[in-house]
Amino acid sequence: MGVNVTDSDKTQEEEQQDLPKVVLFRPPPAFSLIGEESFASNKFHFLKTYDSQLPLDQFLSTHSHSIKAILSSGGAPVNADILQLLPEVGVVVTTSAGLNQIDIPECRRRGIKIANSGNVYSADVADLAVGLLIDVLRKVSASDRYVRQGLWAAKGNYPLGSKLSGKRAGIVGLGNIGYEVAKRLEAFGCFVSYNSRKKKPYVSYPFYHDVCELAANCDALIICCGLSDETRHMINKQVLSALGKEGVIVNIGRGAIIDEKEMVRCLMQGEIAGAGLDVFENEPNVPQEFFAMDNVVLSPHRAVFTPESLKDLSQLVVGNLEAFLSNKPLLTEYVDSE
Amino acid sequence: MESIGVLMTCPPPDPYLVEQLEKRFTLFKFHSIPDKAHFLNSNKASIRAVVGNASAGADAQLIHQLPNLEIVSSFSVGLDKIDLAKCRERGIRVTNTPDVLTDDVADLAIGLMLAVLRRLCQSDRYVRSVNSCMEGRLVSSSLAVPPFLQIDYYFLQVCVFVLLNIDEVITTLGYISKVNPDCSASLGTLGLRNGAKFAFSKSSWLNFTGKSVGIIGLGRIGLAIAKRAEAFSCPISYHTRTEKSDVKYKYYPSVVELAANCQILVVACALTEETRHIINREVINALGPKGVLINIGRGPHVDEPELVSALVEGRLGGAGLDVFQDEPNVPEELFGLENVVLLPHVGSGTMETRKEMADLVVGNLEAHFLNKPLLTPVL
């Protein structure tokens, strides 16, 4: 064929030449965390653009006839430029909880289906949201640091925190994750209300059409929605001001949902009381101002990284790919009629 | 009532409490008096009440030295620092602060479980250290231990892991040589280029939802913990002196059996002669290398040296501790461990709850001296 691929690619291709290909643009975190073998199947073969010396467009053009699916893990965009080089692709399957790296309208235009991570992450992400909220209010990480520095003996008691039970929790985005957060916080005696694109018919929590109004009526704002054009910088100066001096914010969605500069300013001026953040606008960079703050809890974007979630994810990814390739309905097809 | 002498035997736990007591009574702060014996001799006649907490209360010796003591009002729900038998003998009333702190303590118990299992404190330390490191400089990943100690511990861990898992160097480290801004953080590694990638050692990361929770003591606090853990789909089991008939959770007649049958063991019972060192070597071994101990009771519930060696040796998976044998001293061997969370006895440590507790202490004292029914009597 005269195509310059690596030796290992050649060997694998010789063995699996007839198998449909699933292309990856970057290594999914799950591959290194639980092993690529968890995602193996005798129905398809992974083609990794990042293992090749070829420029991306050349690699894709070379293999385009056999690439039937994309396995997307966040970060690398799945947009018109990419899709145009892959006319045989019929499905994009994600390992990520979010879909913001995918040009969804472009996929629709091309009749490309999208399979998301369904519910595999919901519990673990919800757990992290609750963990971050308790940590911020009760100063868990800050006082753990205090103890490890020997300051309890040297300086005495740590300043008091704030009670979680009885707080009003405002959930932004009541999808799978938001719903799991709500369920958990109710058990702590929190009063849950929410904002979503549309009111949910079977949910009894008070609904606020406007996120600003939600912020004004809660003590803790928990961001559980996806990132889209509508939600970018949705948490802005106005919303943070409505949340107020005693209010805290937790973000397990995407960094860009919050106007980060504004949030930093609010925290520095004491205009909000604290924050628990798993995501940031410009990862891996985190605003330097946070490091002097004890009322901020920081997590390196790992809400989904538990062995249990990742194992469920691997089964779901393989299931979705195999279903697509055998013309069966996807297990977790994303339908954006929400 | 200003002439009534109230002796605060513990270090003043809360400015609001002190203020409210000083408004109504003559408050003596025992902790800061240099010559306690002399003081007691001179003032014993006027002292009619004692206010204590988890760190100090009224033992037999003190009670003996206060002939006019009528009431002990504890700024805690635990009564382990009060000689109840002696109080009973002398007809001294005793009150505590139940109910008002139940939610806070239960919230914190779950907070500790999440922090230990999901490595929240460690993650926070990591983000702070990676982002404040300069290129090429060796950085400690936390302020936890002196750098030389941490480097030794983690270097050893790295060597072991590299030897065992060349392809998957998954270790928590303090070594960072460069930060690669190109990598997306959804990698969870914050894009470290050269040097070791920070991820999480396979043996150390666990989820919380669905983990089995075993509770020692199913009183107000134990039940509140169970209710919260159920929302995370955790199967609940418990041990108490006698099985509770009105409870749907699984009962185990011994702590060892409970420990062998759960992944997260929580101490939520009162400290008494019987429950001292209820967490001993046998229980710790039964809980095992994947098990996590949460203590929101009292330090002496746990055989602390045993606990420390189990954690250091990896015989116990992790621990979330709000209380210690000899507060505020915490075993320094724990400072370098990634699988523990160490809190400075903050179970009821919120502004809201401390105010309610203080109001109860003062309310009980006022009720007593006005000959009204006590609000929360124990004796």
Side-chain angles (χ1 to χ4, degrees), chain B residues 144-371:
Chain B
V145 292
F148 72 89
L149 257 181
Q150 186 166 54
I151 288 168
D152 283 348
Y153 174 76
Y154 283 123
F155 185 65
L156 191 62
Q157 202 176 11
V158 169
C159 289
V160 169
F161 263 96
V162 166
L163 287 171
L164 293 177
N165 305 283
I166 296 290
D167 288 331
E168 302 170 299
V169 180
I170 304 175
T171 306
T172 57
L173 270 194
Y175 284 137
I176 293 146
S177 58
K178 273 192 181 178
V179 174
N180 179 356
D182 297 328
C183 283
S184 162
S186 65
L187 251 179
T189 63
L190 286 193
L192 299 174
R193 189 157 45 197
N194 305 325
K197 285 192 165 71
F198 174 82
F200 295 86
S201 49
K202 277 179 173 169
S203 61
S204 76
W205 56 327
L206 292 168
N207 84 336
F208 176 54
T209 284
K211 289 287 181 286
S212 51
V213 173
I215 307 177
I216 303 174
L218 212 64
R220 285 170 289 246
I221 294 173
L223 279 171
I225 293 172
K227 178 174 159 215
R228 284 151 175 75
E230 281 190 298
F232 294 82
S233 309
C234 296
I236 310 288
S237 50
Y238 73 101
H239 168 75
T240 46
R241 273 168 299 188
T242 48
E243 186 170 0
K244 304 212 177 234
S245 55
D246 53 345
V247 145
K248 54 190 168 168
Y249 310 128
K250 180 150 174 63
Y251 174 73
Y252 286 98
S254 77
V255 179
V256 173
E257 270 178 272
L258 180 66
N261 287 284
C262 71
Q263 285 172 290
I264 304 171
L265 184 64
V266 191
V267 181
C269 58
L271 179 65
T272 61
E273 274 313 305
E274 294 147 337
T275 62
R276 193 175 175 282
H277 283 200
I278 198 172
I279 307 296
N280 55 20
R281 175 173 271 249
E282 206 192 345
V283 170
I284 291 169
N285 284 339
L287 192 49
K290 287 195 154 60
V292 173
L293 177 73
I294 303 291
N295 192 2
I296 44 85
R298 287 286 181 266
H301 274 127
V302 175
D303 181 342
E304 201 162 270
E306 270 303 328
L307 176 67
V308 171
S309 63
L311 286 165
V312 165
E313 291 162 27
R315 285 183 287 115
L316 180 63
L321 308 168
D322 186 44
V323 287
F324 302 87
Q325 180 102 333
D326 176 38
E327 296 170 16
N329 301 304
V330 175
E332 290 188 7
E333 300 94 311
L334 298 178
F335 289 178
L337 299 181
E338 67 174 53
N339 56 342
V340 302
V341 174
L342 309 166
L343 299 184
H345 202 153
V346 290
S348 63
T350 65
M351 292 170 300
E352 295 93 332
T353 294
R354 290 290 169 84
K355 180 177 182 299
E356 284 196 70
M357 287 166 67
D359 288 343
L360 258 186
V361 167
V362 171
N364 273 305
L365 291 175
E366 275 187 328
H368 172 74
F369 291 114
L370 293 173
N371 283 315

Side-chain angles (χ1 to χ4, degrees), chain A residues 29 124 127 138 144-145 148 161 163 165 167 184 188 283-284 286 288 291 293 296 298 302-303 305 308, chain B residues 104 107 118 123-125 128 131 144 185-186 200 205 209 211 232 335 337 340 342 346-347 349 351-352:
Chain A
D124 285 347
D127 288 356
R138 299 298 299 273
D144 171 88
R145 266 198 303 280
R148 286 174 198 253
K163 185 169 175 172
S165 299
K167 287 278 191 299
R184 284 154 174 72
F188 288 83
E283 293 166 8
V286 169
Q288 297 280 330
F291 307 131
M293 296 183 197
V296 174
L298 308 167
R302 51 172 299 250
F305 293 147
E308 289 81 356
Chain B
D104 265 356
D107 291 351
R118 298 297 299 269
S123 297
D124 179 88
R125 279 198 295 276
R128 285 165 196 265
N131 277 269
S186 65
F200 295 86
W205 56 327
T209 284
K211 289 287 181 286
F232 294 82
F335 289 178
L337 299 181
V340 302
L342 309 166
V346 290
M351 292 170 300
E352 295 93 332

Side-chain angles (χ1 to χ4, degrees), chain B residues 28-76:
Chain B
F28 302 109
K29 293 177 204 160
F30 203 40
H31 186 77
S32 48
I33 291 166
D35 188 347
K36 292 178 166 55
H38 174 75
F39 163 82
L40 281 178
N41 242 333
S42 323
N43 292 280
K44 59 186 173 186
S46 70
I47 295 172
R48 294 168 63 188
V50 159
V51 167
N53 74 355
S55 63
D59 59 15
Q61 190 192 13
L62 182 74
I63 294 169
H64 183 69
Q65 292 174 286
L66 298 173
N68 295 332
L69 182 62
E70 296 169 27
I71 177 169
V72 177
S73 188
S74 195
F75 187 70
S76 70

Side-chain angles (χ1 to χ4, degrees), chain A residues 181-192:
Chain A
V181 174
K183 197 179 94 179
R184 284 154 174 72
L185 290 180
E186 276 194 299
F188 288 83
C190 290
F191 299 99
V192 174

